[in-house]
Amino acid sequence: MEKRIRVPLSREDALSLKAGDYVCLTGTIYTARDAAHKRMQEALERGKPLPFDIRGSVIYYMGPSPAREGRPIGSAGPTTASRMDKYTPALLDLGLAGMIGKGRRSPAVREAVMRNRAVYFAAVGGAGALLSKAVTSAEVIAYEDLGTEAIRKLTVEDLPVIVCMDAEGTDLYETAAEEYRK
Amino acid sequence: MRTVQVSHITDAIKEMCIQVNYELSPDMRRVFEEAERTERSPLGRRILGQLSQNLEIAASDRIPICQDTGMAVVFLEIGQEVHFEGGSLEDAVNEGIRRGYGEGYLRKSVVDDPILRKNTGDNTPGVIHCRLVPGDQVKITVAPKGFGSENMSRVFMLKPADGIEGVKNAVVAAVEDAGPNACPPMVVGVGIGGTFEKCALMAKHALTRPAGEHSQIPWVKELEEELLSRINGTGIGPGGLGGTTTALAVNVETYPTHIAGLPVAVNICCHVNRHISAML
């Protein structure tokens, strides 16, 4: 069973999602990884605005490979989310509603997810060619000098993801492995 | 003495960087197909199906298999009767990487300094390992390494008294720790023996051995089989979302070591285990 969800994420949709749900996302998301998170944090420390409206937004932890002529993007799979853990609680407290990545999150991120009723989605790591097919447009909107690490505004159509941590803090990585452990 | 123009090294490396990032070698495809047949978790099978589809799209639509097209690791086995002409060998290797990553639409993921972190813009330098061997040929192996899994790799300086059980526990612990972060199903390279750096290098080199081929040493082959079974019993599964396929292969290399030591390195690679070789 698949759920089709619009992004930016409404409060109602965020609360309806449960760990283990297979979801197709359609709408607008933003890419940011290590270097862009560092810059966003520096902006906040200096009292400057973030490069996009974070309220209700979904950030995709992803740095694409270069696009060929006539295509919106190159390979576009998730990077390891835990490297962003240091920066994430502050963004969630500002209204970030969802994140797409891969791998485990820190206890502090989990608390912030629960506190703000947010969602952490996993995309399948290493499926960058397949996932790129869901991206219909991409535009660099900030930190262009960072190359692949620049912030991109993406339009996606049915981007396949799995709810890994829901607003209740249920973590699929913890529960799923137990089922098949010998 | 045989003369080899370094420009030929550049050309070969350029082609290999491109080829390996768009198409996995036949050994990796075989272990993939096997995993799709044996995986017990329905979600796990669905993820493995997506990964197979991903490989097809990568090859047909010319999109890199993974956006992390890696830091280029290059192994050179140089025949001692070879004389290189036309410039610096190291520069020629890096020029091949530069052209491959540029012309191949591959991601530039290398920063010039580990602390200052400015992207070099052309994915150079690569990491080059040279070995002198008898003969007059040059064997080049290109193995671009993604860092989701590289970050989860470990070196353990065990005690001789820890023995083979200590080795097994160390490898399984590293895999459990890596879990979903390393994009399972993984290929696990293990180096046992040597010194601190030698075991790490063996672990890396072990990843270039075709998946599904075992060590010639009987006890090492048994160890590879047991480790694969134990790792697949962790339940981590495809994408880390549960299942019976956590690793596709475990490749172990060994070397003599010191009376006081038992170094073990575990180099974890994701399912996009890219390796390609050519003889010049």
Side-chain angles (χ1 to χ4, degrees):
Chain A
M1 246 269 292
E2 289 173 12
K3 289 187 179 175
R4 303 192 71 216
I5 296 283
R6 302 280 318 174
V7 279
L9 201 53
S10 73
R11 188 108 189 134
E12 197 183 15
D13 282 343
L15 291 174
S16 77
L17 295 172
K18 299 293 167 220
D21 286 352
Y22 200 96
V23 180
C24 291
L25 300 177
T26 297
T28 302
I29 59 176
Y30 296 90
T31 69
R33 44 172 295 154
D34 310 58
H37 274 78
K38 185 161 183 272
R39 288 214 186 155
M40 285 196 285
Q41 161 139 319
E42 285 163 2
L44 292 174
E45 281 166 359
R46 290 198 310 267
K48 297 266 168 60
L50 293 176
F52 59 95
D53 184 2
I54 194 135
R55 289 164 303 171
S57 286
V58 173
I59 291 181
Y60 187 10
Y61 302 136
M62 192 275 286
S65 65
R68 287 181 186 270
E69 287 72 15
R71 294 188 189 172
I73 206 156
S75 194
T79 195
T80 310
S82 59
R83 293 196 316 274
M84 271 51 79
D85 283 356
K86 184 178 158 191
Y87 310 107
T88 299
L91 298 178
L92 287 166
D93 289 342
L94 286 171
L96 175 68
M99 302 148 282
I100 309 167
K102 65 169 167 101
R104 302 183 186 113
R105 308 306 302 260
S106 68
V109 169
R110 184 188 197 155
E111 278 165 30
V113 162
M114 292 164 72
R115 181 165 71 238
N116 294 291
R117 314 297 278 165
V119 185
Y120 169 48
F121 301 98
V124 175
L130 174 77
L131 292 166
S132 76
K133 293 290 181 184
V135 178
T136 57
S137 76
E139 179 197 353
V140 173
I141 58 152
Y143 316 146
E144 191 163 11
D145 61 300
L146 294 179
T148 184
E149 293 206 71
I151 293 185
R152 288 172 171 78
K153 181 181 180 180
L154 303 186
T155 310
V156 293
E157 210 176 295
D158 288 332
L159 180 72
V161 295
I162 296 154
V163 178
C164 216
M165 188 184 292
D166 58 29
E168 307 289 323
T170 309
D171 184 349
L172 186 61
Y173 288 133
E174 281 177 11
T175 53
E178 279 314 308
E179 227 179 291
Y180 293 93
R181 178 178 281 279
K182 277 186 193 156
Chain B
M1 199 60 94
R2 174 173 167 247
T3 298
V4 172
Q5 298 294 327
V6 295
S7 61
H8 292 159
I9 303 274
T10 297
D11 293 343
I13 287 181
K14 180 193 104 172
E15 292 303 326
M16 286 194 277
C17 284
I18 296 173
Q19 163 81 18
V20 80
N21 270 297
Y22 285 87
E23 286 179 58
L24 280 191
S25 46
D27 60 303
M28 286 302 300
R29 285 175 170 271
R30 272 196 297 277
V31 289
F32 243 101
E33 285 162 15
E34 173 71 15
E36 279 191 82
R37 277 196 297 275
T38 57
E39 175 56 52
R40 283 186 21 232
S41 151
L43 179 58
R45 280 198 299 275
R46 183 170 190 167
I47 291 170
L48 289 173
Q50 283 191 343
L51 295 178
S52 286
Q53 211 188 333
N54 184 64
L55 291 176
E56 283 166 29
I57 293 171
S60 65
D61 293 11
R62 302 304 286 165
I63 305 170
I65 301 164
C66 178
Q67 75 289 338
D68 184 354
T69 51
M71 187 165 192
V73 176
V74 178
F75 290 96
L76 296 175
E77 287 179 33
I78 302 167
Q80 62 196 26
E81 287 160 47
V82 170
H83 167 67
F84 289 107
E85 218 175 65
S88 142
L89 177 62
E90 196 173 310
D91 289 351
V93 170
N94 281 321
E95 184 59 24
I97 295 168
R98 184 176 293 116
R99 290 188 198 166
Y101 277 73
E103 295 173 31
Y105 292 86
L106 304 177
R107 197 177 78 179
K108 289 44 168 203
S109 310
V110 174
V111 292
D112 62 350
D113 178 292
I115 299 300
L116 305 177
R117 306 196 74 83
K118 187 175 177 295
N119 197 303
T120 61
D122 59 9
N123 219 52
T124 67
V127 174
I128 307 168
H129 302 291
C130 292
R131 200 160 77 91
L132 280 179
V133 295
D136 64 357
Q137 291 198 298
V138 183
K139 183 180 179 189
I140 308 171
T141 301
V142 176
K145 189 65 172 70
F147 259 57
S149 53
E150 192 74 352
N151 280 337
M152 305 315 289
S153 301
R154 296 284 180 271
V155 172
F156 302 86
M157 299 306 284
L158 300 181
K159 297 174 181 66
D162 293 327
I164 193 158
E165 284 309 311
V167 172
K168 291 175 194 168
N169 292 338
V171 174
V172 175
V175 168
E176 295 241 31
D177 197 30
N181 294 24
C183 289
M186 320 164 188
V187 175
V188 183
V190 180
I192 308 174
T195 49
F196 182 78
E197 86 289 3
K198 176 70 181 175
C199 73
L201 189 53
M202 286 192 292
K204 173 75 72 203
H205 190 261
L207 292 173
T208 67
R209 189 208 300 165
E213 271 181 28
H214 282 291
S215 167
Q216 304 287 317
I217 305 167
W219 76 264
V220 178
K221 176 177 188 283
E222 268 175 47
L223 177 67
E224 289 171 345
E225 287 166 344
E226 186 183 336
L227 282 173
L228 182 60
S229 148
R230 270 184 69 177
I231 288 167
N232 285 335
T234 59
I236 295 166
L241 294 170
T244 53
T245 315
T246 300
L248 298 167
V250 180
N251 291 353
V252 179
E253 289 190 10
T254 62
Y255 195 77
T257 190
H258 189 279
I259 49 173
L262 176 51
V264 178
V266 185
N267 196 193
I268 295 178
C269 192
C270 59
H271 52 86
V272 191
N273 180 29
R274 294 161 288 207
H275 53 86
I276 186 169
S277 297
M279 289 293 252
L280 279 188

